[in-house]
């Protein structure tokens, strides 16, 4: 299903950059908030979701995070675990080290052993993180299939999402990996999730990618991150 999903992404190989970009001289800082929903489809080895989340998060950490950026990583199960929360500083302009990226993404995508989902809670925590660095533009990335039936707070999903978008620092919200599989009621999990987000899902700062088109949407995401730095 995902055999060629991320074949176009530069994984653990930094994209070519000018000297000024590598040194962080022309890149205003951003706050990256990444949440990985490891419930539902992530438990099915045939679906390959956890592997794809790991690969995409590795690419993002390596190719999008620059010196001066803040990184918050959230692992979503029945609760939300903060994997990392730090400001990356590099005097020589180096990117995050490969060993750190592997360590962070390994912890971020560790399979859940509990039942239930806390995707709504992760939106609230993402908002709090964005608010903490209000003077810096923020990019929020949620790796999720969109299944919320096991989320006890799902009635507040729309409010939590609009709250994140209401923060002045929020420049971009990327919802990646939404599932086309049928859910409750016969509609796709993706369509049900988008409907539950309400009117805020139409905000121009929201970028979505289904489980089959992550590799097609990633270039648009990377371009949006560049614009968010301005």
């Amino acid at each position: 299903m995902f055999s060629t999903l991320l074949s176009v992404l530069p994984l653990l190989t930094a994209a070519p950059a000018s000297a000024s970009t590598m040194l962080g001289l022309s890149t205003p800082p951003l706050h990256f908030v990444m949440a990985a929903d490891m419930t539902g489809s992530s438990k099915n080895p045939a679906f390959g979701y956890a592997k794809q989340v790991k690969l995409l998060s590795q690419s993002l950490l390596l190719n999008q995070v620059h010196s001066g950026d803040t990184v918050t990583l959230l692992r979503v199960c029945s609760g939300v675990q903060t994997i990392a929360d730090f400001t990356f500083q590099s005097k020589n302009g180096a990117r995050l080290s490969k060993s750190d990226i592997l360590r962070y993404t390994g912890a971020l995508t560790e399979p859940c052993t509990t039942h239930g989902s806390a995707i709504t809670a992760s939106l609230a925590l993402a908002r709090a993180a964005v608010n903490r660095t209000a003077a810096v533009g923020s990019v929020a990335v949620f790796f999720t299939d969109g299944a919320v039936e096991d989320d006890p707070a799902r009635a507040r999903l729309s409010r939590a999402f609009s709250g994140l978008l209401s923060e002045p620092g929020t420049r971009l919200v990327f919802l990646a990996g939404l599932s086309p599989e049928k859910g409750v009621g016969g509609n796709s999990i993706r369509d049900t999730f988008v409907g539950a987000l309400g009117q805020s899902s139409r905000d121009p700062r929201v970028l979505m990618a289904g489980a089959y088109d992550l590799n097609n949407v990633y270039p648009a995401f990377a371009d949006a991150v560049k614009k968010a730095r301005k």
Side-chain angles (χ1 to χ4, degrees):
M1 174 178 176
F2 284 112
S3 59
T4 61
L5 181 58
L6 299 179
S7 59
V8 301
L9 297 184
L11 302 173
L12 294 184
T13 303
S18 65
S20 62
T21 297
M22 291 185 67
L23 292 173
L25 301 179
S26 61
T27 55
L30 285 175
H31 186 170
F32 287 92
V33 182
M34 287 181 279
D37 179 5
M38 300 313 298
T39 63
S41 298
S42 67
K43 297 180 179 180
N44 183 352
F47 194 68
Y49 179 81
K51 178 181 179 181
Q52 303 312 317
V53 173
K54 184 178 292 186
L55 292 175
L56 189 58
S57 59
Q58 285 174 355
S59 184
L60 194 155
L61 287 174
L62 180 71
N63 294 295
Q64 304 302 331
V65 175
H66 298 173
S67 181
D69 289 345
T70 301
V71 177
T72 302
L73 303 179
L74 305 173
R75 175 174 168 265
V76 182
C77 286
S78 56
V80 185
Q81 175 188 10
T82 300
I83 298 298
D85 190 11
F86 63 95
T87 298
F88 173 59
Q89 298 290 355
S90 174
K91 294 181 179 180
N92 61 3
R95 304 293 176 88
L96 273 170
S97 70
K98 184 182 296 186
S99 61
D100 283 340
I101 291 173
L102 292 174
R103 177 164 54 88
Y104 288 138
T105 56
L108 185 68
T109 58
E110 184 179 346
C112 295
T113 57
T114 57
H115 296 289
S117 173
I119 190 65
T120 302
S122 74
L123 286 165
L125 285 177
R127 180 182 183 181
V130 168
N131 181 266
R132 179 165 48 82
T133 56
V136 176
S138 297
V139 172
V141 181
F142 292 85
F143 303 105
T144 180
D145 62 0
V148 294
E149 289 81 9
D150 294 331
D151 184 351
R154 60 185 179 276
R156 299 194 297 273
L157 182 65
S158 176
R159 189 189 316 167
F161 191 63
S162 62
L164 173 60
L165 287 168
S166 72
E167 293 297 329
T170 301
R171 305 284 179 81
L172 172 67
V173 177
F174 185 29
L175 302 173
L178 298 176
S179 174
E181 296 178 308
K182 287 186 178 181
V184 177
N187 294 322
S188 72
I189 292 174
R190 173 177 181 160
D191 289 348
T192 300
F193 181 71
V194 173
L197 294 178
Q199 197 69 21
S200 297
S201 66
R202 299 182 179 87
D203 191 292
R205 292 170 294 170
V206 177
L207 181 67
M208 298 185 190
Y212 291 103
D213 59 359
L214 280 173
N215 57 337
N216 295 322
V217 178
Y218 187 84
F221 166 73
D223 184 61
V225 171
K226 290 180 182 178
K227 293 177 181 177
R229 289 190 183 276
K230 297 181 180 178

